[in-house]
Structure formats: C-alpha cells, structure tokens
Amino acid sequence: HYGRGSQNPELPSSKKTRRGKLTLFLALFLFLLLALLMFSGSLRVFTRFFSSSESVSLVRHLETVGKPATKEFRVFWKSEAGQRLSPWHDLPLMTRGGSDPTFTFVNEIPKDSLAKMEVNKEEAFNPLKQDLKKGELRFFKYGKIPFNYGCFPRTWENPEHIHEETKTKGDGDPLDVVEISDTPLAMGDAVPVKVLGILALIDDGETDWKGVAVSRR
C-alpha cells in the first residue's frame, strides 16, 4: 500500500514491466503513424512531380462566356494555374487500366435538360457550345433528356474509315457516351466512369458509336 504522502514509491517489478511494455508500444505506434503520414505526403509529392499530362487531375475549373441559350454562350475548361484546356485533347481518356479500367467522361448535356450542347471541334480549346441547325439553337423536342450525355476525350470516329460491321464511315466526332446514373452531372463535368457496353447507330449514312457508362464518383 502506498500512502498519498509517499515521496518516491517503488512499483513492484511486474508493474514496472507492464508500464515499460506499454510505453514501448505507444512509442512504436507513434513512430509508425508518423512514418505513414510522412510516406503518404511523400507519395503525393512524388506522384504529382512525376505525373505527365496523361494523369491530369479531373478536378478542373470552368469559365463561362456569354449567356446560356444564346449563340455566344461558351464553357471553357481551365487548369489550376488558370490556363485554358481542351476537354478533347488535354484530358486523359483513361485514369486507370487493368481488368477493370476507368475512363474519363466529359458531360456535355446534363440529365433533365433541353439544350443540345456539344464540344466544339473547330474553335480553339474546344469549348462547349449549343449546337445549331439552320442557324437556330437546338433543343430536344421530345422532352428533357433522361440521362447525362457527353463524350470520351482523345477519341475520334474516322470519316475516312469504313467499319467492317456497319459498312459506313465514322461521323468525324468524338465517341459519344450515355451516362446512366441517377444523378444529373453539371455541364462540363469530367468524371471517372465504368464502361458497361457500346452500340453502333447509323445516322445519315455515318457510323455513330454510343458508349454506355456509369459514374464511379
């Protein structure tokens, strides 16, 4: 028994041993935790330092020019440094390979919207703009679109190549994608997706492939 007035009480050897083991365990735990945090930070720095344009972050900034539903309306992609990017040429097609690959989906038309938006192939940096037909802005005539609609970056349906199955040439556009999750994605959003399948349509004598995907976000 040790009274409150004891100045230097001695602990039994068994208690000293347990306290020593506990102290050693805590010290080892803190060391491993610190090492893990340092390694994690170093790994992020390493990855950012050695990554190429193929691993461009899907986190991006958008710049809008003009008012929606006008011929002047544009949506530009911008890097974290404020430089304009092309969603067609600068974003990676894939962010993960292997047996279960992840692709980049560029959302042109949000679910439940009416304006027919598309990546502009002719203008610098390929901004989003509303499509025109006979000089007029295009809207869906049969109601709001029931899915997110966009394209895969770095793809192109070659108008000089006749596909062996469809017997028609490509339409000269990026590969179209239908994203079927329940959540509407923002116009211009770039998100990782899992590809579920693909089908070919023939539109005005041209092959028009449609990828079917679901968001991994």
mmCIF file of all heavy atoms in Angstrom, residues 135-173:
data_model
loop_
_atom_site.group_PDB
_atom_site.id
_atom_site.type_symbol
_atom_site.label_atom_id
_atom_site.label_comp_id
_atom_site.label_asym_id
_atom_site.label_seq_id
_atom_site.Cartn_x
_atom_site.Cartn_y
_atom_site.Cartn_z
ATOM 1 N N GLY A 135 -28.963 27.564 -88.503
ATOM 2 C CA GLY A 135 -28.733 28.853 -87.856
ATOM 3 C C GLY A 135 -29.479 29.077 -86.559
ATOM 4 O O GLY A 135 -29.355 30.141 -85.949
ATOM 5 N N GLU A 136 -30.254 28.084 -86.120
ATOM 6 C CA GLU A 136 -31.035 28.233 -84.902
ATOM 7 C C GLU A 136 -30.515 27.300 -83.811
ATOM 8 O O GLU A 136 -30.034 26.192 -84.088
ATOM 9 C CB GLU A 136 -32.514 27.917 -85.179
ATOM 10 C CG GLU A 136 -33.169 28.838 -86.196
ATOM 11 C CD GLU A 136 -33.198 30.293 -85.729
ATOM 12 O OE1 GLU A 136 -33.347 30.512 -84.504
ATOM 13 O OE2 GLU A 136 -33.071 31.190 -86.578
ATOM 14 N N LEU A 137 -30.636 27.762 -82.558
ATOM 15 C CA LEU A 137 -30.206 26.947 -81.427
ATOM 16 C C LEU A 137 -31.042 25.678 -81.343
ATOM 17 O O LEU A 137 -32.262 25.707 -81.523
ATOM 18 C CB LEU A 137 -30.338 27.744 -80.127
ATOM 19 C CG LEU A 137 -29.427 28.972 -79.991
ATOM 20 C CD1 LEU A 137 -29.833 29.785 -78.766
ATOM 21 C CD2 LEU A 137 -27.969 28.558 -79.875
ATOM 22 N N ARG A 138 -30.384 24.564 -81.039
ATOM 23 C CA ARG A 138 -31.091 23.287 -80.985
ATOM 24 C C ARG A 138 -31.500 22.937 -79.557
ATOM 25 O O ARG A 138 -30.714 23.077 -78.613
ATOM 26 C CB ARG A 138 -30.213 22.167 -81.549
ATOM 27 C CG ARG A 138 -29.953 22.274 -83.035
ATOM 28 C CD ARG A 138 -29.210 21.056 -83.534
ATOM 29 N NE ARG A 138 -30.011 19.835 -83.404
ATOM 30 C CZ ARG A 138 -29.530 18.613 -83.657
ATOM 31 N NH1 ARG A 138 -28.271 18.453 -84.025
ATOM 32 N NH2 ARG A 138 -30.316 17.558 -83.523
ATOM 33 N N PHE A 139 -32.724 22.466 -79.424
ATOM 34 C CA PHE A 139 -33.260 21.955 -78.158
ATOM 35 C C PHE A 139 -33.905 20.592 -78.449
ATOM 36 O O PHE A 139 -34.387 20.345 -79.555
ATOM 37 C CB PHE A 139 -34.300 22.918 -77.567
ATOM 38 C CG PHE A 139 -33.741 24.253 -77.155
ATOM 39 C CD1 PHE A 139 -33.696 25.313 -78.055
ATOM 40 C CD2 PHE A 139 -33.273 24.457 -75.867
ATOM 41 C CE1 PHE A 139 -33.195 26.548 -77.681
ATOM 42 C CE2 PHE A 139 -32.766 25.693 -75.486
ATOM 43 C CZ PHE A 139 -32.715 26.730 -76.392
ATOM 44 N N PHE A 140 -33.924 19.739 -77.437
ATOM 45 C CA PHE A 140 -34.601 18.461 -77.593
ATOM 46 C C PHE A 140 -36.108 18.703 -77.714
ATOM 47 O O PHE A 140 -36.709 19.387 -76.878
ATOM 48 C CB PHE A 140 -34.297 17.543 -76.412
ATOM 49 C CG PHE A 140 -32.859 17.091 -76.369
ATOM 50 C CD1 PHE A 140 -31.992 17.590 -75.412
ATOM 51 C CD2 PHE A 140 -32.378 16.166 -77.279
ATOM 52 C CE1 PHE A 140 -30.676 17.186 -75.376
ATOM 53 C CE2 PHE A 140 -31.056 15.755 -77.248
ATOM 54 C CZ PHE A 140 -30.196 16.260 -76.298
ATOM 55 N N LYS A 141 -36.710 18.126 -78.735
ATOM 56 C CA LYS A 141 -38.127 18.352 -78.999
ATOM 57 C C LYS A 141 -39.036 17.378 -78.253
ATOM 58 O O LYS A 141 -40.239 17.610 -78.161
ATOM 59 C CB LYS A 141 -38.395 18.237 -80.505
ATOM 60 C CG LYS A 141 -37.647 19.262 -81.347
ATOM 61 C CD LYS A 141 -37.953 19.068 -82.826
ATOM 62 C CE LYS A 141 -37.228 20.091 -83.679
ATOM 63 N NZ LYS A 141 -37.508 19.895 -85.137
ATOM 64 N N TYR A 142 -38.473 16.289 -77.775
ATOM 65 C CA TYR A 142 -39.312 15.236 -77.188
ATOM 66 C C TYR A 142 -39.222 15.193 -75.669
ATOM 67 O O TYR A 142 -39.436 14.161 -75.052
ATOM 68 C CB TYR A 142 -38.907 13.891 -77.794
ATOM 69 C CG TYR A 142 -38.976 13.882 -79.292
ATOM 70 C CD1 TYR A 142 -37.830 13.951 -80.064
ATOM 71 C CD2 TYR A 142 -40.211 13.859 -79.940
ATOM 72 C CE1 TYR A 142 -37.896 13.966 -81.459
ATOM 73 C CE2 TYR A 142 -40.292 13.881 -81.322
ATOM 74 C CZ TYR A 142 -39.132 13.935 -82.085
ATOM 75 O OH TYR A 142 -39.213 13.961 -83.443
ATOM 76 N N GLY A 143 -38.894 16.303 -75.065
ATOM 77 C CA GLY A 143 -38.804 16.371 -73.609
ATOM 78 C C GLY A 143 -37.365 16.361 -73.120
ATOM 79 O O GLY A 143 -36.407 16.280 -73.897
ATOM 80 N N LYS A 144 -37.213 16.447 -71.811
ATOM 81 C CA LYS A 144 -35.885 16.517 -71.197
ATOM 82 C C LYS A 144 -35.136 15.198 -71.381
ATOM 83 O O LYS A 144 -35.721 14.115 -71.310
ATOM 84 C CB LYS A 144 -36.024 16.839 -69.710
ATOM 85 C CG LYS A 144 -36.644 18.215 -69.444
ATOM 86 C CD LYS A 144 -36.790 18.477 -67.956
ATOM 87 C CE LYS A 144 -37.390 19.857 -67.709
ATOM 88 N NZ LYS A 144 -37.561 20.116 -66.241
ATOM 89 N N ILE A 145 -33.838 15.306 -71.580
ATOM 90 C CA ILE A 145 -33.016 14.131 -71.792
ATOM 91 C C ILE A 145 -32.947 13.321 -70.491
ATOM 92 O O ILE A 145 -32.714 13.886 -69.410
ATOM 93 C CB ILE A 145 -31.608 14.541 -72.284
ATOM 94 C CG1 ILE A 145 -30.796 13.324 -72.698
ATOM 95 C CG2 ILE A 145 -30.868 15.356 -71.243
ATOM 96 C CD1 ILE A 145 -29.508 13.683 -73.421
ATOM 97 N N PRO A 146 -33.169 12.007 -70.529
ATOM 98 C CA PRO A 146 -33.282 11.220 -69.295
ATOM 99 C C PRO A 146 -31.953 10.669 -68.773
ATOM 100 O O PRO A 146 -31.950 9.798 -67.914
ATOM 101 C CB PRO A 146 -34.209 10.075 -69.712
ATOM 102 C CG PRO A 146 -33.903 9.869 -71.151
ATOM 103 C CD PRO A 146 -33.584 11.218 -71.715
ATOM 104 N N PHE A 147 -30.830 11.153 -69.295
ATOM 105 C CA PHE A 147 -29.517 10.676 -68.850
ATOM 106 C C PHE A 147 -28.497 11.779 -69.105
ATOM 107 O O PHE A 147 -28.785 12.772 -69.796
ATOM 108 C CB PHE A 147 -29.114 9.399 -69.610
ATOM 109 C CG PHE A 147 -29.461 9.419 -71.071
ATOM 110 C CD1 PHE A 147 -28.741 10.209 -71.979
ATOM 111 C CD2 PHE A 147 -30.527 8.674 -71.555
ATOM 112 C CE1 PHE A 147 -29.076 10.241 -73.321
ATOM 113 C CE2 PHE A 147 -30.863 8.700 -72.901
ATOM 114 C CZ PHE A 147 -30.132 9.484 -73.785
ATOM 115 N N ASN A 148 -27.320 11.618 -68.543
ATOM 116 C CA ASN A 148 -26.213 12.526 -68.849
ATOM 117 C C ASN A 148 -25.599 12.104 -70.187
ATOM 118 O O ASN A 148 -25.443 10.909 -70.467
ATOM 119 C CB ASN A 148 -25.160 12.482 -67.748
ATOM 120 C CG ASN A 148 -25.688 12.958 -66.416
ATOM 121 O OD1 ASN A 148 -26.089 14.111 -66.273
ATOM 122 N ND2 ASN A 148 -25.699 12.072 -65.427
ATOM 123 N N TYR A 149 -25.261 13.082 -71.010
ATOM 124 C CA TYR A 149 -24.776 12.769 -72.355
ATOM 125 C C TYR A 149 -23.502 13.557 -72.625
ATOM 126 O O TYR A 149 -23.421 14.761 -72.344
ATOM 127 C CB TYR A 149 -25.838 13.141 -73.383
ATOM 128 C CG TYR A 149 -25.558 12.665 -74.787
ATOM 129 C CD1 TYR A 149 -25.919 11.386 -75.199
ATOM 130 C CD2 TYR A 149 -24.926 13.496 -75.699
ATOM 131 C CE1 TYR A 149 -25.668 10.949 -76.488
ATOM 132 C CE2 TYR A 149 -24.669 13.073 -76.998
ATOM 133 C CZ TYR A 149 -25.042 11.801 -77.386
ATOM 134 O OH TYR A 149 -24.787 11.371 -78.673
ATOM 135 N N GLY A 150 -22.497 12.869 -73.155
ATOM 136 C CA GLY A 150 -21.234 13.547 -73.426
ATOM 137 C C GLY A 150 -20.342 12.729 -74.325
ATOM 138 O O GLY A 150 -20.809 12.068 -75.252
ATOM 139 N N CYS A 151 -19.038 12.755 -74.044
ATOM 140 C CA CYS A 151 -18.089 12.088 -74.922
ATOM 141 C C CYS A 151 -16.860 11.633 -74.150
ATOM 142 O O CYS A 151 -16.647 12.023 -72.997
ATOM 143 C CB CYS A 151 -17.678 13.014 -76.063
ATOM 144 S SG CYS A 151 -16.782 14.496 -75.525
ATOM 145 N N PHE A 152 -16.059 10.814 -74.810
ATOM 146 C CA PHE A 152 -14.755 10.410 -74.290
ATOM 147 C C PHE A 152 -13.688 11.305 -74.919
ATOM 148 O O PHE A 152 -13.663 11.477 -76.143
ATOM 149 C CB PHE A 152 -14.441 8.957 -74.642
ATOM 150 C CG PHE A 152 -15.130 7.946 -73.780
ATOM 151 C CD1 PHE A 152 -15.573 6.751 -74.319
ATOM 152 C CD2 PHE A 152 -15.319 8.168 -72.428
ATOM 153 C CE1 PHE A 152 -16.192 5.800 -73.537
ATOM 154 C CE2 PHE A 152 -15.948 7.225 -71.632
ATOM 155 C CZ PHE A 152 -16.385 6.044 -72.181
ATOM 156 N N PRO A 153 -12.785 11.867 -74.112
ATOM 157 C CA PRO A 153 -11.690 12.655 -74.691
ATOM 158 C C PRO A 153 -10.733 11.766 -75.479
ATOM 159 O O PRO A 153 -10.665 10.550 -75.271
ATOM 160 C CB PRO A 153 -11.009 13.269 -73.463
ATOM 161 C CG PRO A 153 -11.353 12.355 -72.337
ATOM 162 C CD PRO A 153 -12.712 11.814 -72.646
ATOM 163 N N ARG A 154 -10.006 12.384 -76.397
ATOM 164 C CA ARG A 154 -8.976 11.719 -77.187
ATOM 165 C C ARG A 154 -9.516 10.573 -78.034
ATOM 166 O O ARG A 154 -8.830 9.577 -78.268
ATOM 167 C CB ARG A 154 -7.825 11.242 -76.294
ATOM 168 C CG ARG A 154 -7.219 12.358 -75.445
ATOM 169 C CD ARG A 154 -5.908 11.970 -74.840
ATOM 170 N NE ARG A 154 -5.433 12.995 -73.929
ATOM 171 C CZ ARG A 154 -4.199 13.064 -73.453
ATOM 172 N NH1 ARG A 154 -3.314 12.156 -73.794
ATOM 173 N NH2 ARG A 154 -3.859 14.025 -72.609
ATOM 174 N N THR A 155 -10.778 10.683 -78.428
ATOM 175 C CA THR A 155 -11.355 9.700 -79.357
ATOM 176 C C THR A 155 -11.860 10.441 -80.589
ATOM 177 O O THR A 155 -12.150 11.645 -80.540
ATOM 178 C CB THR A 155 -12.514 8.924 -78.713
ATOM 179 O OG1 THR A 155 -13.557 9.844 -78.334
ATOM 180 C CG2 THR A 155 -12.046 8.161 -77.478
ATOM 181 N N TRP A 156 -11.997 9.691 -81.687
ATOM 182 C CA TRP A 156 -12.421 10.306 -82.952
ATOM 183 C C TRP A 156 -12.929 9.219 -83.870
ATOM 184 O O TRP A 156 -12.256 8.197 -84.078
ATOM 185 C CB TRP A 156 -11.244 11.037 -83.587
ATOM 186 C CG TRP A 156 -11.534 11.748 -84.871
ATOM 187 C CD1 TRP A 156 -12.449 12.738 -85.062
ATOM 188 C CD2 TRP A 156 -10.871 11.545 -86.126
ATOM 189 N NE1 TRP A 156 -12.411 13.183 -86.371
ATOM 190 C CE2 TRP A 156 -11.436 12.457 -87.048
ATOM 191 C CE3 TRP A 156 -9.860 10.700 -86.555
ATOM 192 C CZ2 TRP A 156 -11.032 12.532 -88.369
ATOM 193 C CZ3 TRP A 156 -9.448 10.771 -87.875
ATOM 194 C CH2 TRP A 156 -10.025 11.680 -88.771
ATOM 195 N N GLU A 157 -14.107 9.411 -84.415
ATOM 196 C CA GLU A 157 -14.678 8.460 -85.349
ATOM 197 C C GLU A 157 -14.267 8.856 -86.765
ATOM 198 O O GLU A 157 -14.801 9.793 -87.347
ATOM 199 C CB GLU A 157 -16.203 8.416 -85.183
ATOM 200 C CG GLU A 157 -16.630 7.980 -83.776
ATOM 201 C CD GLU A 157 -18.111 7.711 -83.680
ATOM 202 O OE1 GLU A 157 -18.641 7.039 -84.593
ATOM 203 O OE2 GLU A 157 -18.735 8.174 -82.714
ATOM 204 N N ASN A 158 -13.310 8.131 -87.287
ATOM 205 C CA ASN A 158 -12.638 8.472 -88.539
ATOM 206 C C ASN A 158 -13.607 8.478 -89.728
ATOM 207 O O ASN A 158 -14.173 7.445 -90.082
ATOM 208 C CB ASN A 158 -11.516 7.469 -88.783
ATOM 209 C CG ASN A 158 -10.610 7.882 -89.935
ATOM 210 O OD1 ASN A 158 -10.921 8.778 -90.705
ATOM 211 N ND2 ASN A 158 -9.472 7.222 -90.043
ATOM 212 N N PRO A 159 -13.804 9.635 -90.370
ATOM 213 C CA PRO A 159 -14.723 9.697 -91.512
ATOM 214 C C PRO A 159 -14.136 9.088 -92.787
ATOM 215 O O PRO A 159 -14.831 9.007 -93.803
ATOM 216 C CB PRO A 159 -14.966 11.205 -91.682
ATOM 217 C CG PRO A 159 -13.734 11.836 -91.141
ATOM 218 C CD PRO A 159 -13.280 10.960 -90.004
ATOM 219 N N GLU A 160 -12.866 8.663 -92.719
ATOM 220 C CA GLU A 160 -12.245 8.032 -93.880
ATOM 221 C C GLU A 160 -12.195 6.513 -93.754
ATOM 222 O O GLU A 160 -11.739 5.829 -94.668
ATOM 223 C CB GLU A 160 -10.813 8.575 -94.069
ATOM 224 C CG GLU A 160 -10.746 10.076 -94.271
ATOM 225 C CD GLU A 160 -11.511 10.524 -95.508
ATOM 226 O OE1 GLU A 160 -11.496 9.774 -96.507
ATOM 227 O OE2 GLU A 160 -12.119 11.618 -95.483
ATOM 228 N N HIS A 161 -12.661 6.003 -92.607
ATOM 229 C CA HIS A 161 -12.584 4.556 -92.361
ATOM 230 C C HIS A 161 -13.979 3.932 -92.408
ATOM 231 O O HIS A 161 -14.898 4.395 -91.726
ATOM 232 C CB HIS A 161 -11.947 4.286 -91.002
ATOM 233 C CG HIS A 161 -11.967 2.834 -90.592
ATOM 234 N ND1 HIS A 161 -11.171 1.890 -91.198
ATOM 235 C CD2 HIS A 161 -12.700 2.169 -89.661
ATOM 236 C CE1 HIS A 161 -11.397 0.713 -90.655
ATOM 237 N NE2 HIS A 161 -12.327 0.851 -89.728
ATOM 238 N N ILE A 162 -14.126 2.884 -93.210
ATOM 239 C CA ILE A 162 -15.388 2.151 -93.273
ATOM 240 C C ILE A 162 -15.320 0.977 -92.307
ATOM 241 O O ILE A 162 -14.463 0.108 -92.441
ATOM 242 C CB ILE A 162 -15.677 1.641 -94.705
ATOM 243 C CG1 ILE A 162 -15.810 2.838 -95.663
ATOM 244 C CG2 ILE A 162 -16.946 0.797 -94.728
ATOM 245 C CD1 ILE A 162 -16.053 2.416 -97.102
ATOM 246 N N HIS A 163 -16.216 0.984 -91.328
ATOM 247 C CA HIS A 163 -16.198 -0.083 -90.320
ATOM 248 C C HIS A 163 -16.683 -1.389 -90.948
ATOM 249 O O HIS A 163 -17.646 -1.412 -91.727
ATOM 250 C CB HIS A 163 -17.090 0.297 -89.136
ATOM 251 C CG HIS A 163 -16.876 -0.567 -87.937
ATOM 252 N ND1 HIS A 163 -17.531 -1.757 -87.765
ATOM 253 C CD2 HIS A 163 -16.057 -0.418 -86.868
ATOM 254 C CE1 HIS A 163 -17.152 -2.303 -86.626
ATOM 255 N NE2 HIS A 163 -16.243 -1.510 -86.065
ATOM 256 N N GLU A 164 -16.014 -2.476 -90.601
ATOM 257 C CA GLU A 164 -16.316 -3.758 -91.227
ATOM 258 C C GLU A 164 -17.706 -4.286 -90.889
ATOM 259 O O GLU A 164 -18.276 -5.084 -91.646
ATOM 260 C CB GLU A 164 -15.266 -4.806 -90.830
ATOM 261 C CG GLU A 164 -15.162 -5.051 -89.341
ATOM 262 C CD GLU A 164 -14.078 -6.053 -88.992
ATOM 263 O OE1 GLU A 164 -13.313 -6.444 -89.886
ATOM 264 O OE2 GLU A 164 -13.998 -6.424 -87.811
ATOM 265 N N GLU A 165 -18.273 -3.864 -89.773
ATOM 266 C CA GLU A 165 -19.602 -4.353 -89.389
ATOM 267 C C GLU A 165 -20.720 -3.409 -89.827
ATOM 268 O O GLU A 165 -21.766 -3.849 -90.293
ATOM 269 C CB GLU A 165 -19.652 -4.587 -87.882
ATOM 270 C CG GLU A 165 -18.747 -5.713 -87.404
ATOM 271 C CD GLU A 165 -18.885 -5.983 -85.923
ATOM 272 O OE1 GLU A 165 -19.704 -5.300 -85.264
ATOM 273 O OE2 GLU A 165 -18.165 -6.863 -85.408
ATOM 274 N N THR A 166 -20.503 -2.113 -89.661
ATOM 275 C CA THR A 166 -21.562 -1.157 -90.030
ATOM 276 C C THR A 166 -21.544 -0.825 -91.516
ATOM 277 O O THR A 166 -22.542 -0.324 -92.052
ATOM 278 C CB THR A 166 -21.422 0.147 -89.227
ATOM 279 O OG1 THR A 166 -20.186 0.806 -89.604
ATOM 280 C CG2 THR A 166 -21.411 -0.125 -87.726
ATOM 281 N N LYS A 167 -20.399 -1.052 -92.166
ATOM 282 C CA LYS A 167 -20.240 -0.768 -93.597
ATOM 283 C C LYS A 167 -20.362 0.720 -93.909
ATOM 284 O O LYS A 167 -20.638 1.106 -95.049
ATOM 285 C CB LYS A 167 -21.259 -1.554 -94.449
ATOM 286 C CG LYS A 167 -21.359 -3.035 -94.123
ATOM 287 C CD LYS A 167 -20.039 -3.761 -94.297
ATOM 288 C CE LYS A 167 -20.198 -5.248 -93.995
ATOM 289 N NZ LYS A 167 -18.912 -5.980 -94.052
ATOM 290 N N THR A 168 -20.185 1.557 -92.908
ATOM 291 C CA THR A 168 -20.244 3.008 -93.119
ATOM 292 C C THR A 168 -19.050 3.664 -92.438
ATOM 293 O O THR A 168 -18.393 3.084 -91.568
ATOM 294 C CB THR A 168 -21.547 3.610 -92.559
ATOM 295 O OG1 THR A 168 -21.623 3.325 -91.147
ATOM 296 C CG2 THR A 168 -22.767 3.022 -93.251
ATOM 297 N N LYS A 169 -18.785 4.896 -92.828
ATOM 298 C CA LYS A 169 -17.666 5.662 -92.268
ATOM 299 C C LYS A 169 -18.062 6.308 -90.933
ATOM 300 O O LYS A 169 -19.244 6.434 -90.620
ATOM 301 C CB LYS A 169 -17.230 6.748 -93.253
ATOM 302 C CG LYS A 169 -16.745 6.212 -94.593
ATOM 303 C CD LYS A 169 -16.387 7.343 -95.533
ATOM 304 C CE LYS A 169 -15.899 6.823 -96.885
ATOM 305 N NZ LYS A 169 -15.542 7.930 -97.808
ATOM 306 N N GLY A 170 -17.047 6.732 -90.182
ATOM 307 C CA GLY A 170 -17.296 7.445 -88.936
ATOM 308 C C GLY A 170 -17.838 8.840 -89.192
ATOM 309 O O GLY A 170 -17.744 9.371 -90.302
ATOM 310 N N ASP A 171 -18.388 9.455 -88.148
ATOM 311 C CA ASP A 171 -19.027 10.770 -88.317
ATOM 312 C C ASP A 171 -18.085 11.937 -88.034
ATOM 313 O O ASP A 171 -18.502 13.090 -88.071
ATOM 314 C CB ASP A 171 -20.278 10.866 -87.443
ATOM 315 C CG ASP A 171 -19.969 10.801 -85.949
ATOM 316 O OD1 ASP A 171 -18.782 10.679 -85.564
ATOM 317 O OD2 ASP A 171 -20.926 10.853 -85.145
ATOM 318 N N GLY A 172 -16.816 11.659 -87.735
ATOM 319 C CA GLY A 172 -15.854 12.735 -87.522
ATOM 320 C C GLY A 172 -15.924 13.395 -86.167
ATOM 321 O O GLY A 172 -15.315 14.451 -85.961
ATOM 322 N N ASP A 173 -16.653 12.797 -85.216
ATOM 323 C CA ASP A 173 -16.820 13.372 -83.878
ATOM 324 C C ASP A 173 -16.122 12.516 -82.823
ATOM 325 O O ASP A 173 -15.792 11.346 -83.080
ATOM 326 C CB ASP A 173 -18.307 13.470 -83.524
ATOM 327 C CG ASP A 173 -19.033 14.510 -84.359
ATOM 328 O OD1 ASP A 173 -18.370 15.463 -84.810
ATOM 329 O OD2 ASP A 173 -20.250 14.356 -84.566
#
